[in-house]
């Protein structure tokens, strides 16, 4: 699923494709905003870890899970 993270004082947002569920991403964001952790830590589909300081989060947009496309279908 696509996750967009807005960071304060940064001109661009962070966009990643995550294999984590929407509920898990929401829980991690809530914990970061509640002060339980100082960093929002997410993992993308390639196994890369994205760390964002919790006090710099402007917004997090969680997209709907998209099914993987297979084949050579016409657009």
């Amino acid at each position: 699923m696509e996750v967009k993270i807005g960071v304060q004082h940064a001109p661009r947002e962070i966009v990643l494709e995550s294999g984590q569920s929407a509920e898990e991403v929401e829980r991690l964001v809530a914990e970061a905003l509640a002060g339980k952790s100082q960093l929002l830590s997410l993992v993308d589909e390639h196994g890369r870890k994205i760390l964002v300081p919790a006090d710099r989060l402007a917004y997090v947009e969680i997209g709907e899970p998209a099914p993987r496309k297979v084949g050579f279908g016409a657009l």
Side-chain angles (χ1 to χ4, degrees), residues 13-44:
E13 62 191 10
I14 299 170
V15 180
L16 66 123
E17 288 291 328
S18 178
Q20 296 169 298
S21 69
E23 292 80 19
E24 186 177 1
V25 172
E26 185 176 353
R27 180 183 54 80
L28 292 169
V29 170
E31 287 176 1
L33 292 176
K36 293 182 181 178
S37 64
Q38 294 181 356
L39 293 173
L40 170 61
S41 175
L42 298 175
V43 180
D44 72 0

Side-chain angles (χ1 to χ4, degrees), residues 26-74:
E26 185 176 353
R27 180 183 54 80
L28 292 169
V29 170
E31 287 176 1
L33 292 176
K36 293 182 181 178
S37 64
Q38 294 181 356
L39 293 173
L40 170 61
S41 175
L42 298 175
V43 180
D44 72 0
E45 288 185 334
H46 302 288
R48 294 178 291 211
K49 189 175 273 193
I50 292 85
L51 302 172
V52 180
D55 62 342
R56 296 290 181 200
L57 287 174
Y59 63 90
V60 177
E61 182 179 313
I62 303 171
E64 292 186 24
R68 293 185 93 67
K69 296 179 182 176
V70 178
F72 297 99

